[in-house]
Amino acid sequence: MGEGRAYAGGVSTEPALTTPAPARPRRRPLLSPRVRAWVIAGVSLLGGYLISTARQAVVRPPLVVGQDAVPPSGQDTARVTLENVGGPVIDIRPAQGEADTLLVFYPGGLVRPQAYEWLGRALAARGVQTVIPAFPLDLAVTGIGRADGLIAQYGQGKRVVIAGHSLGGAMAAQYAASNADALAGLILMAAYPAGNVSLKDRTLPVLSLLAERDGVAAPDDVRGGLERLPEGTTLTVIPGAVHSFFGRYGPQKGDGLPTVTHAQAEEEILNAVQDFLTGLK
């Protein structure tokens, strides 16, 4: 029997009445099909860009020598080889005779070592052997102590100078702060010691090169870094030069506008480095 409903004096057999549930309003989509298509396309493009950027950072270009390394003078008197000493390294030494100085050069951040090959080739004519290591991700911060193995391999019987450009210079300064007794000098190119690094109490000769039109390593910051360098540090301004003129890797985002040619700046850089090395004991 069907369910009844009670009433006074008995039970009714009339079916109970139920109230129908209210109809739910239809929800409108938050985005129209056209807008959704644009959003999906934008997300896909952004994802592709991020993947491409990450890949470029992780997979660095090949290490190739000799492609853009003619010294400013045009006279090439160097022998250049790719070697492996705790990782890839460009070894640049005089074509004739033995070197009396070893220059260990730390490249700038994300810059391939061959960008500084021009300097090593030019210095080879002065009896200098230059070794430029490649770091993981091209960041010297990943191997500040890399100079240890290079000095052990190449520095026997030579005076040793460590140098670096930009981030590489900051890491070279950090290395020098802990190993000053093993070094004859430090060269900083558009660089300065980190705020927690000081060589103030060292007697190490230091050359600091400042690019006058640098838009990456601000000239005031480079000058301020002198407070954490030994007394007697030589500050040399490269007139009209910009941050990227220390290497051969093309224009750099955020850099200044030069008022001299790249070749003119290289001549000034080379002369300053040669004078500094000549003055070392």
mmCIF file of all heavy atoms in Angstrom, residues 78-129:
data_model
loop_
_atom_site.group_PDB
_atom_site.id
_atom_site.type_symbol
_atom_site.label_atom_id
_atom_site.label_comp_id
_atom_site.label_asym_id
_atom_site.label_seq_id
_atom_site.Cartn_x
_atom_site.Cartn_y
_atom_site.Cartn_z
ATOM 1 N N ALA A 78 101.201 32.735 -29.916
ATOM 2 C CA ALA A 78 100.761 31.831 -28.846
ATOM 3 C C ALA A 78 100.432 30.455 -29.390
ATOM 4 O O ALA A 78 100.089 30.283 -30.556
ATOM 5 C CB ALA A 78 99.549 32.423 -28.144
ATOM 6 N N ARG A 79 100.525 29.472 -28.496
ATOM 7 C CA ARG A 79 100.023 28.118 -28.750
ATOM 8 C C ARG A 79 98.821 27.909 -27.848
ATOM 9 O O ARG A 79 98.906 28.101 -26.639
ATOM 10 C CB ARG A 79 101.101 27.071 -28.449
ATOM 11 C CG ARG A 79 102.264 27.074 -29.433
ATOM 12 C CD ARG A 79 103.239 25.933 -29.163
ATOM 13 N NE ARG A 79 103.979 26.121 -27.903
ATOM 14 C CZ ARG A 79 103.910 25.313 -26.874
ATOM 15 N NH1 ARG A 79 103.126 24.251 -26.900
ATOM 16 N NH2 ARG A 79 104.631 25.544 -25.797
ATOM 17 N N VAL A 80 97.707 27.502 -28.439
ATOM 18 C CA VAL A 80 96.461 27.382 -27.683
ATOM 19 C C VAL A 80 95.944 25.951 -27.791
ATOM 20 O O VAL A 80 95.836 25.404 -28.894
ATOM 21 C CB VAL A 80 95.404 28.359 -28.207
ATOM 22 C CG1 VAL A 80 94.132 28.269 -27.359
ATOM 23 C CG2 VAL A 80 95.942 29.788 -28.200
ATOM 24 N N THR A 81 95.638 25.369 -26.645
ATOM 25 C CA THR A 81 95.090 24.013 -26.625
ATOM 26 C C THR A 81 93.923 23.938 -25.651
ATOM 27 O O THR A 81 93.836 24.721 -24.698
ATOM 28 C CB THR A 81 96.159 22.977 -26.205
ATOM 29 O OG1 THR A 81 96.689 23.339 -24.913
ATOM 30 C CG2 THR A 81 97.294 22.918 -27.222
ATOM 31 N N LEU A 82 93.039 22.994 -25.922
ATOM 32 C CA LEU A 82 91.963 22.665 -24.992
ATOM 33 C C LEU A 82 92.407 21.475 -24.163
ATOM 34 O O LEU A 82 92.775 20.442 -24.714
ATOM 35 C CB LEU A 82 90.678 22.322 -25.748
ATOM 36 C CG LEU A 82 89.828 23.478 -26.267
ATOM 37 C CD1 LEU A 82 88.653 22.933 -27.082
ATOM 38 C CD2 LEU A 82 89.325 24.344 -25.131
ATOM 39 N N GLU A 83 92.368 21.599 -22.859
ATOM 40 C CA GLU A 83 92.817 20.532 -21.986
ATOM 41 C C GLU A 83 91.763 20.251 -20.918
ATOM 42 O O GLU A 83 90.755 20.956 -20.819
ATOM 43 C CB GLU A 83 94.171 20.897 -21.366
ATOM 44 C CG GLU A 83 95.240 21.170 -22.435
ATOM 45 C CD GLU A 83 96.622 21.388 -21.860
ATOM 46 O OE1 GLU A 83 96.805 21.209 -20.632
ATOM 47 O OE2 GLU A 83 97.522 21.736 -22.639
ATOM 48 N N ASN A 84 92.016 19.225 -20.136
ATOM 49 C CA ASN A 84 91.104 18.864 -19.060
ATOM 50 C C ASN A 84 91.895 18.759 -17.765
ATOM 51 O O ASN A 84 92.680 17.831 -17.571
ATOM 52 C CB ASN A 84 90.392 17.542 -19.365
ATOM 53 C CG ASN A 84 89.227 17.298 -18.406
ATOM 54 O OD1 ASN A 84 89.345 17.490 -17.204
ATOM 55 N ND2 ASN A 84 88.107 16.858 -18.944
ATOM 56 N N VAL A 85 91.697 19.734 -16.909
ATOM 57 C CA VAL A 85 92.337 19.737 -15.592
ATOM 58 C C VAL A 85 91.234 20.043 -14.572
ATOM 59 O O VAL A 85 90.931 21.192 -14.285
ATOM 60 C CB VAL A 85 93.465 20.785 -15.505
ATOM 61 C CG1 VAL A 85 94.114 20.743 -14.115
ATOM 62 C CG2 VAL A 85 94.497 20.574 -16.593
ATOM 63 N N GLY A 86 90.587 18.985 -14.103
ATOM 64 C CA GLY A 86 89.436 19.182 -13.236
ATOM 65 C C GLY A 86 88.241 19.729 -13.990
ATOM 66 O O GLY A 86 87.307 20.253 -13.398
ATOM 67 N N GLY A 87 88.275 19.613 -15.309
ATOM 68 C CA GLY A 87 87.252 20.169 -16.183
ATOM 69 C C GLY A 87 87.927 20.846 -17.359
ATOM 70 O O GLY A 87 89.157 20.998 -17.397
ATOM 71 N N PRO A 88 87.169 21.279 -18.346
ATOM 72 C CA PRO A 88 87.764 21.909 -19.526
ATOM 73 C C PRO A 88 88.508 23.196 -19.178
ATOM 74 O O PRO A 88 88.089 23.959 -18.299
ATOM 75 C CB PRO A 88 86.554 22.209 -20.419
ATOM 76 C CG PRO A 88 85.470 21.305 -19.922
ATOM 77 C CD PRO A 88 85.703 21.150 -18.460
ATOM 78 N N VAL A 89 89.594 23.424 -19.872
ATOM 79 C CA VAL A 89 90.378 24.645 -19.671
ATOM 80 C C VAL A 89 91.076 25.005 -20.979
ATOM 81 O O VAL A 89 91.547 24.129 -21.713
ATOM 82 C CB VAL A 89 91.406 24.470 -18.522
ATOM 83 C CG1 VAL A 89 92.357 23.325 -18.807
ATOM 84 C CG2 VAL A 89 92.182 25.755 -18.278
ATOM 85 N N ILE A 90 91.120 26.290 -21.284
ATOM 86 C CA ILE A 90 91.887 26.787 -22.420
ATOM 87 C C ILE A 90 93.277 27.141 -21.917
ATOM 88 O O ILE A 90 93.432 27.969 -21.008
ATOM 89 C CB ILE A 90 91.221 28.017 -23.056
ATOM 90 C CG1 ILE A 90 89.824 27.658 -23.579
ATOM 91 C CG2 ILE A 90 92.070 28.558 -24.200
ATOM 92 C CD1 ILE A 90 89.065 28.848 -24.145
ATOM 93 N N ASP A 91 94.271 26.534 -22.499
ATOM 94 C CA ASP A 91 95.665 26.778 -22.117
ATOM 95 C C ASP A 91 96.328 27.585 -23.231
ATOM 96 O O ASP A 91 96.429 27.129 -24.372
ATOM 97 C CB ASP A 91 96.390 25.445 -21.908
ATOM 98 C CG ASP A 91 97.872 25.626 -21.593
ATOM 99 O OD1 ASP A 91 98.245 26.719 -21.135
ATOM 100 O OD2 ASP A 91 98.641 24.671 -21.816
ATOM 101 N N ILE A 92 96.790 28.783 -22.890
ATOM 102 C CA ILE A 92 97.421 29.680 -23.862
ATOM 103 C C ILE A 92 98.833 29.970 -23.376
ATOM 104 O O ILE A 92 99.022 30.558 -22.314
ATOM 105 C CB ILE A 92 96.638 31.002 -23.992
ATOM 106 C CG1 ILE A 92 95.148 30.716 -24.215
ATOM 107 C CG2 ILE A 92 97.201 31.865 -25.107
ATOM 108 C CD1 ILE A 92 94.265 31.943 -24.049
ATOM 109 N N ARG A 93 99.811 29.579 -24.162
ATOM 110 C CA ARG A 93 101.204 29.764 -23.739
ATOM 111 C C ARG A 93 102.043 30.305 -24.890
ATOM 112 O O ARG A 93 101.629 30.233 -26.051
ATOM 113 C CB ARG A 93 101.780 28.455 -23.217
ATOM 114 C CG ARG A 93 101.821 27.330 -24.229
ATOM 115 C CD ARG A 93 102.379 26.056 -23.596
ATOM 116 N NE ARG A 93 101.493 25.502 -22.584
ATOM 117 C CZ ARG A 93 101.882 24.594 -21.685
ATOM 118 N NH1 ARG A 93 103.121 24.145 -21.678
ATOM 119 N NH2 ARG A 93 101.010 24.118 -20.807
ATOM 120 N N PRO A 94 103.220 30.867 -24.586
ATOM 121 C CA PRO A 94 104.066 31.402 -25.652
ATOM 122 C C PRO A 94 104.412 30.322 -26.678
ATOM 123 O O PRO A 94 104.674 29.171 -26.314
ATOM 124 C CB PRO A 94 105.306 31.889 -24.908
ATOM 125 C CG PRO A 94 104.842 32.149 -23.511
ATOM 126 C CD PRO A 94 103.794 31.108 -23.249
ATOM 127 N N ALA A 95 104.414 30.705 -27.941
ATOM 128 C CA ALA A 95 104.771 29.756 -28.999
ATOM 129 C C ALA A 95 106.231 29.368 -28.911
ATOM 130 O O ALA A 95 106.625 28.251 -29.274
ATOM 131 C CB ALA A 95 104.448 30.349 -30.359
ATOM 132 N N GLN A 96 107.049 30.277 -28.438
ATOM 133 C CA GLN A 96 108.480 30.024 -28.286
ATOM 134 C C GLN A 96 108.892 30.309 -26.842
ATOM 135 O O GLN A 96 108.469 31.303 -26.250
ATOM 136 C CB GLN A 96 109.294 30.934 -29.224
ATOM 137 C CG GLN A 96 108.913 30.822 -30.698
ATOM 138 C CD GLN A 96 109.264 29.465 -31.278
ATOM 139 O OE1 GLN A 96 110.204 28.812 -30.823
ATOM 140 N NE2 GLN A 96 108.509 29.031 -32.280
ATOM 141 N N GLY A 97 109.735 29.456 -26.299
ATOM 142 C CA GLY A 97 110.249 29.679 -24.958
ATOM 143 C C GLY A 97 109.247 29.312 -23.875
ATOM 144 O O GLY A 97 108.135 28.850 -24.149
ATOM 145 N N GLU A 98 109.667 29.519 -22.643
ATOM 146 C CA GLU A 98 108.849 29.169 -21.482
ATOM 147 C C GLU A 98 108.265 30.424 -20.837
ATOM 148 O O GLU A 98 108.866 31.492 -20.862
ATOM 149 C CB GLU A 98 109.697 28.414 -20.456
ATOM 150 C CG GLU A 98 110.172 27.052 -20.927
ATOM 151 C CD GLU A 98 109.011 26.092 -21.154
ATOM 152 O OE1 GLU A 98 108.021 26.177 -20.380
ATOM 153 O OE2 GLU A 98 109.088 25.285 -22.085
ATOM 154 N N ALA A 99 107.121 30.284 -20.264
ATOM 155 C CA ALA A 99 106.480 31.387 -19.553
ATOM 156 C C ALA A 99 107.074 31.520 -18.151
ATOM 157 O O ALA A 99 107.449 30.517 -17.533
ATOM 158 C CB ALA A 99 104.980 31.151 -19.472
ATOM 159 N N ASP A 100 107.150 32.746 -17.673
ATOM 160 C CA ASP A 100 107.607 32.958 -16.294
ATOM 161 C C ASP A 100 106.446 33.364 -15.376
ATOM 162 O O ASP A 100 106.617 33.486 -14.168
ATOM 163 C CB ASP A 100 108.715 34.007 -16.236
ATOM 164 C CG ASP A 100 108.302 35.357 -16.822
ATOM 165 O OD1 ASP A 100 107.086 35.589 -17.003
ATOM 166 O OD2 ASP A 100 109.192 36.183 -17.103
ATOM 167 N N THR A 101 105.286 33.595 -15.977
ATOM 168 C CA THR A 101 104.099 33.996 -15.201
ATOM 169 C C THR A 101 102.905 33.151 -15.625
ATOM 170 O O THR A 101 102.697 32.909 -16.819
ATOM 171 C CB THR A 101 103.775 35.488 -15.439
ATOM 172 O OG1 THR A 101 104.883 36.290 -15.033
ATOM 173 C CG2 THR A 101 102.528 35.903 -14.655
ATOM 174 N N LEU A 102 102.125 32.700 -14.654
ATOM 175 C CA LEU A 102 100.879 31.995 -14.919
ATOM 176 C C LEU A 102 99.721 32.900 -14.517
ATOM 177 O O LEU A 102 99.641 33.338 -13.371
ATOM 178 C CB LEU A 102 100.796 30.689 -14.131
ATOM 179 C CG LEU A 102 99.460 29.931 -14.269
ATOM 180 C CD1 LEU A 102 99.292 29.392 -15.684
ATOM 181 C CD2 LEU A 102 99.367 28.799 -13.243
ATOM 182 N N LEU A 103 98.831 33.180 -15.469
ATOM 183 C CA LEU A 103 97.637 33.957 -15.191
ATOM 184 C C LEU A 103 96.428 33.027 -15.236
ATOM 185 O O LEU A 103 96.119 32.439 -16.275
ATOM 186 C CB LEU A 103 97.466 35.068 -16.231
ATOM 187 C CG LEU A 103 96.217 35.958 -16.070
ATOM 188 C CD1 LEU A 103 96.342 36.818 -14.811
ATOM 189 C CD2 LEU A 103 96.002 36.829 -17.294
ATOM 190 N N VAL A 104 95.759 32.875 -14.099
ATOM 191 C CA VAL A 104 94.531 32.070 -14.013
ATOM 192 C C VAL A 104 93.364 33.032 -14.120
ATOM 193 O O VAL A 104 93.216 33.938 -13.292
ATOM 194 C CB VAL A 104 94.459 31.286 -12.692
ATOM 195 C CG1 VAL A 104 93.167 30.479 -12.633
ATOM 196 C CG2 VAL A 104 95.672 30.379 -12.545
ATOM 197 N N PHE A 105 92.545 32.856 -15.158
ATOM 198 C CA PHE A 105 91.485 33.836 -15.446
ATOM 199 C C PHE A 105 90.106 33.208 -15.274
ATOM 200 O O PHE A 105 89.769 32.222 -15.930
ATOM 201 C CB PHE A 105 91.635 34.359 -16.879
ATOM 202 C CG PHE A 105 90.824 35.598 -17.146
ATOM 203 C CD1 PHE A 105 91.432 36.843 -17.144
ATOM 204 C CD2 PHE A 105 89.459 35.527 -17.379
ATOM 205 C CE1 PHE A 105 90.683 37.994 -17.380
ATOM 206 C CE2 PHE A 105 88.710 36.665 -17.604
ATOM 207 C CZ PHE A 105 89.320 37.910 -17.605
ATOM 208 N N TYR A 106 89.282 33.809 -14.399
ATOM 209 C CA TYR A 106 87.903 33.376 -14.176
ATOM 210 C C TYR A 106 86.962 34.221 -15.058
ATOM 211 O O TYR A 106 86.879 35.440 -14.886
ATOM 212 C CB TYR A 106 87.504 33.550 -12.716
ATOM 213 C CG TYR A 106 88.049 32.506 -11.754
ATOM 214 C CD1 TYR A 106 88.971 31.549 -12.160
ATOM 215 C CD2 TYR A 106 87.638 32.487 -10.421
ATOM 216 C CE1 TYR A 106 89.457 30.590 -11.273
ATOM 217 C CE2 TYR A 106 88.117 31.537 -9.518
ATOM 218 C CZ TYR A 106 89.036 30.596 -9.949
ATOM 219 O OH TYR A 106 89.514 29.657 -9.066
ATOM 220 N N PRO A 107 86.229 33.589 -15.990
ATOM 221 C CA PRO A 107 85.318 34.344 -16.866
ATOM 222 C C PRO A 107 84.133 34.952 -16.113
ATOM 223 O O PRO A 107 83.792 34.551 -15.000
ATOM 224 C CB PRO A 107 84.822 33.273 -17.854
ATOM 225 C CG PRO A 107 85.818 32.157 -17.766
ATOM 226 C CD PRO A 107 86.288 32.167 -16.347
ATOM 227 N N GLY A 108 83.498 35.921 -16.769
ATOM 228 C CA GLY A 108 82.288 36.520 -16.225
ATOM 229 C C GLY A 108 81.129 35.538 -16.232
ATOM 230 O O GLY A 108 81.169 34.494 -16.900
ATOM 231 N N GLY A 109 80.089 35.861 -15.504
ATOM 232 C CA GLY A 109 78.940 34.972 -15.391
ATOM 233 C C GLY A 109 78.256 34.717 -16.722
ATOM 234 O O GLY A 109 77.941 35.651 -17.466
ATOM 235 N N LEU A 110 78.063 33.436 -17.044
ATOM 236 C CA LEU A 110 77.407 32.974 -18.268
ATOM 237 C C LEU A 110 78.196 33.315 -19.530
ATOM 238 O O LEU A 110 77.644 33.278 -20.632
ATOM 239 C CB LEU A 110 75.981 33.539 -18.382
ATOM 240 C CG LEU A 110 75.019 33.177 -17.249
ATOM 241 C CD1 LEU A 110 73.658 33.827 -17.489
ATOM 242 C CD2 LEU A 110 74.867 31.670 -17.111
ATOM 243 N N VAL A 111 79.472 33.630 -19.378
ATOM 244 C CA VAL A 111 80.328 33.946 -20.526
ATOM 245 C C VAL A 111 81.270 32.771 -20.778
ATOM 246 O O VAL A 111 81.911 32.272 -19.851
ATOM 247 C CB VAL A 111 81.146 35.231 -20.291
ATOM 248 C CG1 VAL A 111 82.022 35.534 -21.513
ATOM 249 C CG2 VAL A 111 80.215 36.410 -20.003
ATOM 250 N N ARG A 112 81.348 32.338 -22.024
ATOM 251 C CA ARG A 112 82.229 31.240 -22.395
ATOM 252 C C ARG A 112 83.695 31.659 -22.282
ATOM 253 O O ARG A 112 84.042 32.813 -22.573
ATOM 254 C CB ARG A 112 81.952 30.787 -23.823
ATOM 255 C CG ARG A 112 80.586 30.151 -24.032
ATOM 256 C CD ARG A 112 80.656 28.620 -23.979
ATOM 257 N NE ARG A 112 80.893 28.095 -22.661
ATOM 258 C CZ ARG A 112 81.197 26.807 -22.429
ATOM 259 N NH1 ARG A 112 81.315 25.959 -23.438
ATOM 260 N NH2 ARG A 112 81.373 26.370 -21.200
ATOM 261 N N PRO A 113 84.574 30.751 -21.863
ATOM 262 C CA PRO A 113 85.993 31.094 -21.662
ATOM 263 C C PRO A 113 86.674 31.693 -22.887
ATOM 264 O O PRO A 113 87.559 32.539 -22.759
ATOM 265 C CB PRO A 113 86.621 29.751 -21.277
ATOM 266 C CG PRO A 113 85.505 28.977 -20.664
ATOM 267 C CD PRO A 113 84.281 29.372 -21.431
ATOM 268 N N GLN A 114 86.272 31.274 -24.099
ATOM 269 C CA GLN A 114 86.975 31.758 -25.286
ATOM 270 C C GLN A 114 86.782 33.254 -25.512
ATOM 271 O O GLN A 114 87.505 33.860 -26.298
ATOM 272 C CB GLN A 114 86.545 30.992 -26.538
ATOM 273 C CG GLN A 114 85.065 31.093 -26.887
ATOM 274 C CD GLN A 114 84.314 29.858 -26.453
ATOM 275 O OE1 GLN A 114 84.592 29.289 -25.389
ATOM 276 N NE2 GLN A 114 83.365 29.409 -27.273
ATOM 277 N N ALA A 115 85.864 33.884 -24.798
ATOM 278 C CA ALA A 115 85.675 35.329 -24.944
ATOM 279 C C ALA A 115 86.895 36.112 -24.474
ATOM 280 O O ALA A 115 87.073 37.279 -24.848
ATOM 281 C CB ALA A 115 84.437 35.774 -24.160
ATOM 282 N N TYR A 116 87.742 35.487 -23.673
ATOM 283 C CA TYR A 116 88.929 36.161 -23.134
ATOM 284 C C TYR A 116 90.225 35.614 -23.740
ATOM 285 O O TYR A 116 91.312 35.960 -23.285
ATOM 286 C CB TYR A 116 88.954 36.017 -21.609
ATOM 287 C CG TYR A 116 87.653 36.437 -20.971
ATOM 288 C CD1 TYR A 116 86.661 35.498 -20.678
ATOM 289 C CD2 TYR A 116 87.391 37.774 -20.695
ATOM 290 C CE1 TYR A 116 85.452 35.877 -20.122
ATOM 291 C CE2 TYR A 116 86.179 38.161 -20.133
ATOM 292 C CZ TYR A 116 85.214 37.200 -19.850
ATOM 293 O OH TYR A 116 84.016 37.579 -19.304
ATOM 294 N N GLU A 117 90.083 34.797 -24.760
ATOM 295 C CA GLU A 117 91.263 34.209 -25.404
ATOM 296 C C GLU A 117 92.149 35.285 -26.013
ATOM 297 O O GLU A 117 93.373 35.144 -26.048
ATOM 298 C CB GLU A 117 90.812 33.211 -26.470
ATOM 299 C CG GLU A 117 91.952 32.437 -27.114
ATOM 300 C CD GLU A 117 91.463 31.548 -28.242
ATOM 301 O OE1 GLU A 117 90.236 31.299 -28.334
ATOM 302 O OE2 GLU A 117 92.310 31.109 -29.047
ATOM 303 N N TRP A 118 91.547 36.357 -26.493
ATOM 304 C CA TRP A 118 92.320 37.439 -27.106
ATOM 305 C C TRP A 118 93.379 37.971 -26.143
ATOM 306 O O TRP A 118 94.521 38.272 -26.553
ATOM 307 C CB TRP A 118 91.396 38.587 -27.540
ATOM 308 C CG TRP A 118 90.825 39.395 -26.396
ATOM 309 C CD1 TRP A 118 89.686 39.166 -25.705
ATOM 310 C CD2 TRP A 118 91.430 40.544 -25.778
ATOM 311 N NE1 TRP A 118 89.504 40.094 -24.704
ATOM 312 C CE2 TRP A 118 90.559 40.953 -24.733
ATOM 313 C CE3 TRP A 118 92.592 41.263 -26.005
ATOM 314 C CZ2 TRP A 118 90.825 42.059 -23.924
ATOM 315 C CZ3 TRP A 118 92.867 42.365 -25.195
ATOM 316 C CH2 TRP A 118 91.989 42.752 -24.163
ATOM 317 N N LEU A 119 93.019 38.084 -24.869
ATOM 318 C CA LEU A 119 93.945 38.625 -23.873
ATOM 319 C C LEU A 119 95.099 37.662 -23.637
ATOM 320 O O LEU A 119 96.263 38.068 -23.575
ATOM 321 C CB LEU A 119 93.202 38.896 -22.569
ATOM 322 C CG LEU A 119 94.041 39.447 -21.414
ATOM 323 C CD1 LEU A 119 94.644 40.795 -21.779
ATOM 324 C CD2 LEU A 119 93.188 39.558 -20.149
ATOM 325 N N GLY A 120 94.790 36.374 -23.518
ATOM 326 C CA GLY A 120 95.849 35.386 -23.311
ATOM 327 C C GLY A 120 96.822 35.339 -24.480
ATOM 328 O O GLY A 120 98.038 35.223 -24.286
ATOM 329 N N ARG A 121 96.292 35.429 -25.701
ATOM 330 C CA ARG A 121 97.176 35.428 -26.873
ATOM 331 C C ARG A 121 98.082 36.651 -26.886
ATOM 332 O O ARG A 121 99.258 36.570 -27.243
ATOM 333 C CB ARG A 121 96.334 35.364 -28.151
ATOM 334 C CG ARG A 121 95.705 33.995 -28.426
ATOM 335 C CD ARG A 121 94.909 34.020 -29.719
ATOM 336 N NE ARG A 121 94.298 32.733 -30.024
ATOM 337 C CZ ARG A 121 94.854 31.796 -30.796
ATOM 338 N NH1 ARG A 121 96.049 31.995 -31.328
ATOM 339 N NH2 ARG A 121 94.217 30.663 -31.040
ATOM 340 N N ALA A 122 97.542 37.799 -26.501
ATOM 341 C CA ALA A 122 98.342 39.017 -26.476
ATOM 342 C C ALA A 122 99.428 38.949 -25.402
ATOM 343 O O ALA A 122 100.562 39.394 -25.611
ATOM 344 C CB ALA A 122 97.443 40.224 -26.243
ATOM 345 N N LEU A 123 99.093 38.381 -24.242
ATOM 346 C CA LEU A 123 100.063 38.309 -23.141
ATOM 347 C C LEU A 123 101.134 37.247 -23.388
ATOM 348 O O LEU A 123 102.221 37.314 -22.791
ATOM 349 C CB LEU A 123 99.337 38.011 -21.828
ATOM 350 C CG LEU A 123 98.417 39.115 -21.304
ATOM 351 C CD1 LEU A 123 97.662 38.633 -20.066
ATOM 352 C CD2 LEU A 123 99.220 40.373 -20.986
ATOM 353 N N ALA A 124 100.859 36.285 -24.246
ATOM 354 C CA ALA A 124 101.837 35.229 -24.516
ATOM 355 C C ALA A 124 103.141 35.819 -25.047
ATOM 356 O O ALA A 124 104.222 35.293 -24.774
ATOM 357 C CB ALA A 124 101.264 34.217 -25.501
ATOM 358 N N ALA A 125 103.036 36.908 -25.793
ATOM 359 C CA ALA A 125 104.240 37.551 -26.337
ATOM 360 C C ALA A 125 105.105 38.134 -25.232
ATOM 361 O O ALA A 125 106.296 38.415 -25.459
ATOM 362 C CB ALA A 125 103.841 38.646 -27.324
ATOM 363 N N ARG A 126 104.546 38.304 -24.028
ATOM 364 C CA ARG A 126 105.279 38.847 -22.879
ATOM 365 C C ARG A 126 105.695 37.752 -21.902
ATOM 366 O O ARG A 126 106.021 38.044 -20.752
ATOM 367 C CB ARG A 126 104.411 39.882 -22.161
ATOM 368 C CG ARG A 126 104.057 41.111 -23.000
ATOM 369 C CD ARG A 126 105.295 41.923 -23.351
ATOM 370 N NE ARG A 126 104.979 43.194 -23.973
ATOM 371 C CZ ARG A 126 104.844 44.335 -23.324
ATOM 372 N NH1 ARG A 126 104.985 44.372 -22.005
ATOM 373 N NH2 ARG A 126 104.575 45.450 -23.969
ATOM 374 N N GLY A 127 105.659 36.520 -22.339
ATOM 375 C CA GLY A 127 106.089 35.432 -21.469
ATOM 376 C C GLY A 127 105.066 35.008 -20.437
ATOM 377 O O GLY A 127 105.420 34.454 -19.388
ATOM 378 N N VAL A 128 103.784 35.239 -20.722
ATOM 379 C CA VAL A 128 102.719 34.890 -19.792
ATOM 380 C C VAL A 128 101.935 33.697 -20.334
ATOM 381 O O VAL A 128 101.544 33.683 -21.502
ATOM 382 C CB VAL A 128 101.763 36.076 -19.567
ATOM 383 C CG1 VAL A 128 100.621 35.688 -18.630
ATOM 384 C CG2 VAL A 128 102.525 37.283 -19.015
ATOM 385 N N GLN A 129 101.708 32.714 -19.488
ATOM 386 C CA GLN A 129 100.824 31.603 -19.812
ATOM 387 C C GLN A 129 99.478 31.876 -19.145
ATOM 388 O O GLN A 129 99.418 32.134 -17.937
ATOM 389 C CB GLN A 129 101.383 30.277 -19.311
ATOM 390 C CG GLN A 129 100.491 29.074 -19.596
ATOM 391 C CD GLN A 129 101.071 27.771 -19.065
ATOM 392 O OE1 GLN A 129 102.170 27.756 -18.501
ATOM 393 N NE2 GLN A 129 100.343 26.692 -19.233
#
